[in-house]
Amino acid sequence: MIPLLQSLVDAVSAGAIYALAALGIGLVFGIMRLANLAHGEIITGSAYTLIFLWEFSWPLALIASAVVGVVIALAMNFAVFHWLRAQSPATLLIASFGLSILFQRLYDAAFGTNVRTAPVGSGLSQSIAMGGIRINILSVITIVLGVVLLIAVHLFLTRTSIGLQVKAASSDFRMARILGVRSGFVIAITFAISGLLAAAVAFALTTQSGAVGPTFGVQATLFGLVGAVLGGLSKLSGAVVGGFAVGVVLSLFTSWLPPWANDFRTALVYVFVIIALVVAPNGLLAGRSKKDRT
Amino acid sequence: MTERNPESMGESNRVLTVENLTVQYGGVPAVDGISFHVDAGELVGVIGPNGAGKSSTLLALVNAVRSSSQRLELSGASIAGKAPEYVARHGLALVTEGHHIFGELSVVDNLKLGRVARSSAAGLEEDMEWILGLFPILREFHSRSAGLLSGGQQQQLAIARALISSPQLLVLDEPSLGLSPTAVDTVFAAIEAVRQRGVAVLLVEQRAQQAVAAADRTHVLSEGRVTMTLTPSDASNSELLTKAYLGS
Amino acid sequence: MTHGKAPSPTAVRRLLAPAWVVDLWTLAVPLAAVYLFTSAGSALSGSARVDLGYALVNLIIVVALWVFVGNSGVLSFGHIGFVAIGAWTMSLLTIEPLVKSNLLPTLFPFVQDASASPVVALIMGAIMGGIVAFLSALVLMKLNGLEAGIATFALLQVIVQVLTYWDKIGPKSGQSMVGIPASFDLPVVMSIAMLVIVVAWLYQQSTSARLLRASRDDIAAAPASGINVFKHRVIAFAVSGALAGIGGALWAQTNRVVQASQFNLDFTFLTIAMLVIGGMLSLWGAVVGTIVISTLNHFLGLLEGGLEIGSVTVSIPSGSRLIVLGLSLILILILRPGGITNGREAVWPFEKKLDFLTQAQRTFD
């Protein structure tokens, strides 16, 4: 049996990763009504960058992976989603699905089906003893990274002029434009931030596994999206808490379910997702704010 | 490229020119070829029954609905087909019907959004003092969530936010709708103060008598066309106003 | 920008053919297209015949998907789950008993003993798909929009996870079932596909489907107008699930190796892309999309394998099919969001049938 405290720390760290994924997805959804399934391929792109550059120079790898995340996110916006701005959320969702599969195949063609490996952050995968309990440094760092980024995004949205414009556009896009908010600019900013958040998720996941394949980002994105929808995409805090909760539950299931049931832990999570959606279709934390505004 | 057409020489202080504006929804015209203009320092009113095309006209100005026109100019520069944010940044501030404020943001944050369309920071402090003087309640509630304000207070906030952009033309869509009598008085007093300061105002109103009395001239809109133009002296002619509303 | 007035009702009514002929035409054209497609494909080489088998199976699945998505306007990412159930049913009922007891020793005894002819197994596949779809619809069909999309995706995950790990109804975790006999040849598969199209068309003509489409075009007004959207969605989902079960059963006997992980996001994407590219609001769109993409995929597959043109061998990297499919989907959504058919059924060509046009436009405005 894994000690309780360690499994809790692991759970919170998994929750932090999915919360970051949910935040990136939720930001873009807020401003575009796009549930971006291709968010995972931004994560994958950043992760490949880390793997390829890590042994050459780790600071460079970190910077480059952030840049790659932002560039892929912006490229997706300008090449595809920009042209679909007038379309329904369902059409945007299908387009992002297509983009996701497209990127997976491109990664496959470029880097092969097999995973690429590098000891990303290998110095971090040690344990420290705290009062007789061993705690994984990596989990702690992931939690810190998550908290710092959540606070940074919060400060950006509430304390800066551009952040306010993003918030305004998320809540009433047309009114924001009538006030002079440049639609293309705030959308691009939002995609860029989602790219940065994807790079952070890529870092956290890559340090855990050290191996990246073409579908590397899919799981984090699916659980992040599921968490965001559960928490309520109409409110960012709801999306973040939802993503966090999904991560925690998944991790605790892994640690504590009996072996026979462990096989079904993903199924259990999705059964819970269905129940939660039916009980509270607008998200468990969403209050009564309206959803489809445009 | 400074060639000017000779006619525009007489329009040097013209803020808004609308010629033959048409808005259609699914082939049905909501606005059917209307023309009017607003000069600097003027208050121009637009009245008419529901569905006459008043709001559509205003939304067409900022290109928030699709329209066609012969001329659509703001201070001599065409704004036809320009994005809403472009029009806003070139000096047209629209306060839409139903006081669209951002309810989850604070009063101060709502006001800050008014600065987005402002061309320069010069004089901001001074403008801010003047605006908060018009609407003292906003100073009192500055950190409150805007969604918690009353309808009248939200309308004041929406107008204040529009004024912070330091517009050449303030466009108001039924600012008195659903307000208490005292709130209506505050709003109309503010509109008068705005005009005194030299900002042109285009005012769409349901309260015909008050609008006609306040405006330099008031166009009566019916079924998408201008059917009459009234002057302040017509404000007391209730027969004429009734006729205007019934769409003679 | 619309210029000119819509045609007056009297002009629309001035038809040379009676309405039922025009309606029947919307069935006849897809059937003829499937027949021609199959005939043309059969005349080609061996690899074309293999691809053709999969194309016809995919056609059934896409038509099944259309029954729900096209009529309700709600996206489903879950239909491959019903395909998996159909495939499972077919496999468990038709694998040789001796092979089965060796390969799948952990099955429930009644599953171990169950065996049926291919036709009965096919029907069972439809019934199982229909039942699971009906039961899940009772829970899921209260949802709209993105929530419905996520919920159907969650359903797919649950079905696939259960099929992967529950060795009482299948192989040990993640392993595959082999030895599924190929019971139906191409002409039979084609006939079944045409039958599925007929069922989908009959459903489309039903009152329930008409009411559902009315709700699709104006979801806000539907409850006020007395339409029980929930009930009609449940019906559509169940019919759709049953047809997908047929598709799954045929997929199993075409592929002959069945593994839970095959019912994945790539498969889901393939069928959704076919439907969207053809035009997801019409049955004709489902058929056109499948035929076009299957044909394209066949030739891309030839190129992936290396195609000799004269003395030069042209080849493209494997995986190109999904790259091309992803690009095609995105381009279609940007340039022609209604798909190739723009959401219209096959139009009776011998006169100007204007109300078809106006109907389609109304859907897209």
Side-chain angles (χ1 to χ4, degrees), chain A residues 50-129:
Chain A
L50 282 171
I51 293 283
F52 290 138
L53 294 180
W54 190 265
E55 287 180 294
F56 175 65
S57 156
W58 67 265
L60 178 70
L62 286 179
I63 294 166
S65 77
V67 171
V68 165
V70 171
V71 167
I72 295 177
L74 288 177
M76 285 180 176
N77 175 34
F78 288 118
V80 178
F81 299 122
H82 174 79
W83 307 101
L84 294 169
R85 264 162 59 181
Q87 302 288 346
S88 69
T91 303
L92 287 165
L93 180 65
I94 295 172
S96 77
F97 194 11
L99 202 53
S100 165
I101 299 281
L102 176 64
F103 266 83
Q104 286 173 24
R105 293 308 125 190
L106 288 175
Y107 290 139
D108 193 329
F111 310 126
T113 309
N114 296 330
V115 292
R116 299 297 192 99
T117 56
V120 174
S122 55
L124 305 175
S125 54
Q126 296 165 354
S127 298
I128 45 167

Side-chain angles (χ1 to χ4, degrees), chain B residues 77-91:
Chain B
S78 176
I79 51 168
K82 293 283 198 289
E85 55 262 40
Y86 177 94
V87 179
R89 285 163 183 263
H90 282 73

Side-chain angles (χ1 to χ4, degrees), chain A residues 29 35 79-80 83-84 87 90-91 93-95 97-99 101-102 104-106 218 222 225-226 229 233 263-264 266-267 270-271 273-274 277-278 281 291, chain C residues 75 77 139-140 143 146-147 150-151 153-155 157-158 161-162 165-166 173 265-266 268-269 272 276 280 317 319 322-324 326-327 329-330 333-334 337:
Chain A
F29 183 84
V80 178
W83 307 101
L84 294 169
Q87 302 288 346
T91 303
L93 180 65
I94 295 172
F97 194 11
L99 202 53
I101 299 281
L102 176 64
Q104 286 173 24
R105 293 308 125 190
L106 288 175
V218 171
L222 288 180
L225 178 62
V226 161
V229 171
L233 269 172
D263 286 344
F264 295 99
T266 316
Y270 280 110
V271 167
V273 164
I274 292 172
L277 280 175
V278 172
K291 187 142 237 159
Chain C
L75 261 186
F77 292 101
V139 179
L140 298 184
L143 299 170
L146 189 62
E147 288 82 9
I150 298 283
F153 172 76
L155 177 68
Q157 295 299 317
V158 173
Q161 293 287 321
V162 168
Y165 291 112
W166 199 14
S173 70
L265 283 178
D266 282 3
T268 304
F269 175 67
I272 289 181
V276 171
M280 70 176 187
L322 277 172
I323 293 178
V324 172
L327 279 177
L329 177 74
I330 290 164
L333 286 175
I334 292 174

Side-chain angles (χ1 to χ4, degrees), chain A residues 73-225:
Chain A
L74 288 177
M76 285 180 176
N77 175 34
F78 288 118
V80 178
F81 299 122
H82 174 79
W83 307 101
L84 294 169
R85 264 162 59 181
Q87 302 288 346
S88 69
T91 303
L92 287 165
L93 180 65
I94 295 172
S96 77
F97 194 11
L99 202 53
S100 165
I101 299 281
L102 176 64
F103 266 83
Q104 286 173 24
R105 293 308 125 190
L106 288 175
Y107 290 139
D108 193 329
F111 310 126
T113 309
N114 296 330
V115 292
R116 299 297 192 99
T117 56
V120 174
S122 55
L124 305 175
S125 54
Q126 296 165 354
S127 298
I128 45 167
M130 268 173 59
I133 308 156
R134 300 198 70 77
I135 289 184
N136 195 343
I137 302 181
L138 191 55
S139 300
V140 177
I141 287 185
T142 305
I143 294 167
V144 171
L145 180 71
V147 170
V148 166
L149 283 172
L150 288 179
I151 292 173
V153 170
H154 177 75
L155 289 179
F156 166 75
L157 287 175
T158 52
R159 298 291 166 82
T160 67
S161 169
I162 294 171
L164 265 184
Q165 294 180 40
V166 170
K167 270 188 107 170
S170 300
S171 107
D172 186 341
F173 201 72
R174 188 170 81 168
M175 191 61 227
R177 296 187 73 184
I178 287 174
L179 285 176
V181 172
R182 289 197 174 101
S183 52
F185 176 69
V186 287
I187 288 175
I189 286 285
T190 309
F191 268 97
I193 294 172
S194 87
L196 272 180
L197 291 168
V201 172
F203 173 73
L205 291 176
T206 320
T207 47
Q208 285 176 3
S209 68
V212 176
T215 56
F216 179 79
V218 171
Q219 197 190 342
T221 301
L222 288 180
F223 285 128
L225 178 62

Side-chain angles (χ1 to χ4, degrees), chain B residues 76-109:
Chain B
S78 176
I79 51 168
K82 293 283 198 289
E85 55 262 40
Y86 177 94
V87 179
R89 285 163 183 263
H90 282 73
L92 189 155
L94 169 63
V95 179
T96 53
E97 185 189 326
H99 36 82
H100 285 277
I101 46 88
F102 298 103
E104 67 274 33
L105 299 184
S106 68
V107 169
V108 170
D109 283 348

